[in-house]
Amino acid sequence: MAAAAADLAISVWLLVAAAAVAAGSPATLTLERAFPTNHGVELNQLRARDELRHRRMLQSSNGVVDFSVQGTYDPFQVGLYFTKVQLGTPPVEFNVQIDTGSDVLWVSCNSCSGCPQTSGLQIQLNFFDPGSSSTSSLIACSDQRCSSGIQSSDASCSSQNNRCSYTFQYGDGSGTSGYYVSDMMHLNTIFEGSVTTNSTAPVVFGCSNQQTGDLTKSDRAVDGIFGFGQQELSVISQLSSQGIAPRVFSHCLKGDSSGGGILVLGEIVEPNIVYSSLVPSQPHYNLNLQSISVNGQTLQIDSSVFATSNNRGTIVDSGTTLAYLAEEAYDPFVNAITATIPQSVRTVVSKGNQCYLITTSVTDVFPQVSLNFAGGASMLLRPQDYLIQQNSIGGAAVWCIGFQKIQGQGVTILGDLVLKDKIVVYDLAGQRIGWVNYDCSLSVNVSASTGTGRSEFVNAGELGGSISLRDGLQLTKTGFLAFFVHLTLIYCLGFL
């Protein structure tokens, strides 16, 4: 998925926390974010990659490790999030993509056909062998967990072998198939400043024995996909049903040159967060967007344009690089932005994208945008949240509208372009999503949805060596499931 330029990487350690474990201690995993090193990516290529991402939205360690920082910042970020998980007995480590558009955790198995053997992300690829794990067991068709997966289209059954299976096929022609196993997930634990390593939880996950299409490419290959969806086979649902984690997760993605951020199995607590209810009975994180305002003026767009139906609606997806507007809303949005800027700003169209030549700060030129949702919750966007800087021409910076439209489609997708520099809380128990603009390089308070007690703190991006937990992350006295996040970022920059 990426052509190599210089191998650039920024490694940042983050801490993520979530709910109380049964033993009273929180658990940790390492999470990485990686971007290819293509330095010739244009907006149409970004759109193409996002389209592949959209087709993938399925409807149906003993302490803190500090990595040296290398590389440079490029504003065109195209890539994926992935985390390290340990599965089986003895444990084997797998790098799996974090995906809010699907439900299931699956990894490549030793019998996999078409699985890549190497990765351009400079990670070692591993293969799960059920026969080599003393705690592994197959999921039969008669298992209630399989029945739940069948109801959500995450599983199927064959009368030939009584084995609970899955087949995920994507619109770009790629896909994976395999069968479900149950095995132990190993979780490092943190409690009141100390780290232990003996927490485990049984989870059901997919064992992929066939992959096709884009999944077979080695340039961005990982060991599998970690679905963060809402259905019963998602790891979030499984851990919640065992009393290990709450049905809520949060993130705060840094938009500055250092990158990184925080991903939490739990709730980031901030008093100014506003919430809007999720549209019920949807496979994705759909919200009811009602209107868009530019410079305080509501655009004349029929609210039915944003209403949720089979091929319409507004989806919050941190796996999408850009942002997408329903086709009927796109031109009114771009026209309103252009109408508010001074006539001295030169406008240009590059490969179908509306761009502007700026010699001053974009915040001095461009208006604030407000996305207005049901329940009175508005998402305020700075110019940097809907514009992308490409290159410079004659001393002027070229900024282009980062919002795109999918021809012939009525879907609106809020990706990283608008989600960065915000705390975003996915409250599955309350069936709502909350957000607030926030400097994600600062400390955040994290708690379980029902927890209270003493506080511990860790600042995003400052984990390393010996760190006192009193500097950033809030823990309840019962403890939290936590992710220590190691984000490796390799960026892409596109030029006109």
Side-chain angles (χ1 to χ4, degrees):
M1 279 234 172
D7 286 335
L8 306 176
I10 301 176
S11 297
V12 185
W13 269 100
L14 315 166
L15 180 64
V16 190
V21 289
S25 298
T28 65
L29 296 170
T30 55
L31 175 68
E32 301 180 31
R33 182 180 185 179
F35 296 96
T37 55
N38 188 334
H39 284 254
V41 178
E42 296 177 344
L43 278 173
N44 61 340
Q45 293 173 279
L46 294 178
R47 287 196 303 270
R49 290 176 178 178
D50 276 341
E51 286 172 7
L52 297 184
R53 157 70 187 168
H54 300 159
R55 291 169 185 155
R56 286 194 174 190
M57 290 180 175
L58 303 179
Q59 303 215 8
S60 29
S61 99
N62 294 323
V64 176
V65 179
D66 195 13
F67 288 81
S68 61
V69 177
Q70 304 177 60
T72 130
Y73 170 74
D74 290 333
F76 274 20
Q77 302 178 0
V78 183
L80 53 88
Y81 291 90
F82 64 96
T83 186
K84 294 181 184 297
V85 297
Q86 290 187 333
L87 302 171
T89 305
V92 178
E93 188 172 76
F94 300 92
N95 294 286
V96 287
Q97 179 183 353
I98 299 301
D99 183 11
T100 61
S102 63
D103 302 314
V104 172
L105 166 64
W106 63 263
V107 297
S108 299
C109 277
N110 59 332
S111 59
C112 185
S113 172
C115 290
Q117 303 294 313
T118 60
S119 174
L121 299 178
Q122 299 182 355
I123 58 175
Q124 177 181 339
L125 298 182
N126 290 318
F127 297 85
F128 183 75
D129 182 4
S132 298
S133 173
S134 62
T135 51
S136 175
S137 61
L138 296 179
I139 301 298
C141 289
S142 58
D143 194 299
Q144 177 58 42
R145 293 167 294 185
C146 185
S147 300
S148 298
I150 292 175
Q151 292 178 8
S152 60
S153 301
D154 289 324
S156 60
C157 259
S158 169
S159 58
Q160 296 179 344
N161 53 22
N162 192 35
R163 190 165 65 178
C164 191
S165 304
Y166 67 87
T167 297
F168 301 147
Q169 190 68 39
Y170 308 116
D172 64 345
S174 66
T176 178
S177 60
Y179 55 93
Y180 285 106
V181 298
S182 175
D183 212 333
M184 305 306 295
M185 176 180 285
H186 297 258
L187 306 168
N188 294 332
T189 61
I190 300 175
F191 187 66
E192 295 187 355
S194 64
V195 178
T196 60
T197 59
N198 295 323
S199 296
T200 59
V203 295
V204 174
F205 58 92
C207 191
S208 173
N209 54 24
Q210 185 172 16
Q211 293 171 28
T212 59
D214 189 61
L215 290 175
T216 66
K217 296 180 179 178
S218 62
D219 50 4
R220 297 201 312 154
V222 290
D223 293 316
I225 290 180
F226 196 165
F228 271 74
Q230 306 180 57
Q231 302 300 327
E232 291 189 39
L233 278 184
S234 72
V235 170
I236 288 178
S237 296
Q238 292 186 61
L239 295 180
S240 175
S241 67
Q242 297 177 52
I244 294 174
R247 284 181 57 79
V248 56
F249 68 97
S250 316
H251 60 66
C252 193
L253 305 176
K254 294 167 63 178
D256 61 20
S257 59
S258 64
I262 296 174
L263 173 65
V264 180
L265 286 187
E267 179 182 3
I268 297 179
V269 180
E270 211 284 331
N272 297 316
I273 290 180
V274 297
Y275 286 89
S276 186
S277 296
L278 285 167
V279 179
S281 304
Q282 296 299 312
H284 309 305
Y285 294 112
N286 284 72
L287 291 176
N288 184 6
L289 177 63
Q290 296 182 328
S291 67
I292 300 176
S293 301
V294 174
N295 209 24
Q297 300 297 313
T298 302
L299 303 184
Q300 297 302 306
I301 303 171
D302 192 318
S303 60
S304 64
V305 168
F306 305 117
T308 302
S309 64
N310 289 337
N311 58 356
R312 288 188 174 275
T314 301
I315 299 170
V316 177
D317 178 33
S318 62
T320 291
T321 304
L322 302 174
Y324 293 77
L325 276 178
E327 186 174 15
E328 299 93 330
Y330 183 79
D331 288 340
F333 175 76
V334 174
N335 292 340
I337 297 294
T338 304
T340 62
I341 62 176
Q343 293 184 352
S344 58
V345 175
R346 181 184 170 190
T347 62
V348 295
V349 176
S350 173
K351 297 180 174 62
N353 302 296
Q354 181 65 64
C355 302
Y356 311 88
L357 274 61
I358 310 297
T359 57
T360 184
S361 170
V362 291
T363 57
D364 297 333
V365 175
F366 289 89
Q368 179 176 271
V369 168
S370 176
L371 306 180
N372 307 310
F373 295 87
S378 293
M379 182 179 290
L380 303 180
L381 306 183
R382 308 162 302 161
Q384 298 93 325
D385 298 329
Y386 60 83
L387 296 172
I388 292 182
Q389 184 178 1
Q390 295 212 54
N391 62 342
S392 297
I393 298 178
V398 178
W399 287 81
C400 298
I401 297 288
F403 274 77
Q404 306 293 300
K405 65 178 174 181
I406 306 176
Q407 202 70 33
Q409 297 293 317
V411 66
T412 295
I413 303 174
L414 306 180
D416 286 343
L417 179 65
V418 301
L419 298 179
K420 68 180 187 296
D421 294 322
K422 292 177 179 64
I423 292 172
V424 183
V425 178
Y426 303 74
D427 181 4
L428 307 187
Q431 283 296 286
R432 61 181 187 167
I433 291 182
W435 59 83
V436 64
N437 289 348
Y438 195 81
D439 182 352
C440 296
S441 64
L442 302 177
S443 304
V444 297
N445 295 337
V446 182
S447 77
S449 56
T450 58
T452 58
R454 66 186 297 273
S455 297
E456 302 276 4
F457 295 94
V458 170
N459 292 333
E462 293 187 0
L463 290 177
S466 59
I467 282 280
S468 169
L469 291 183
R470 285 178 168 70
D471 297 329
L473 171 70
Q474 181 183 16
L475 300 177
T476 70
K477 56 188 175 184
T478 53
F480 288 102
L481 180 65
F483 284 120
F484 275 116
V485 183
H486 166 218
L487 253 67
T488 303
L489 301 110
I490 308 171
Y491 296 96
C492 293
L493 178 61
F495 294 95
L496 289 174

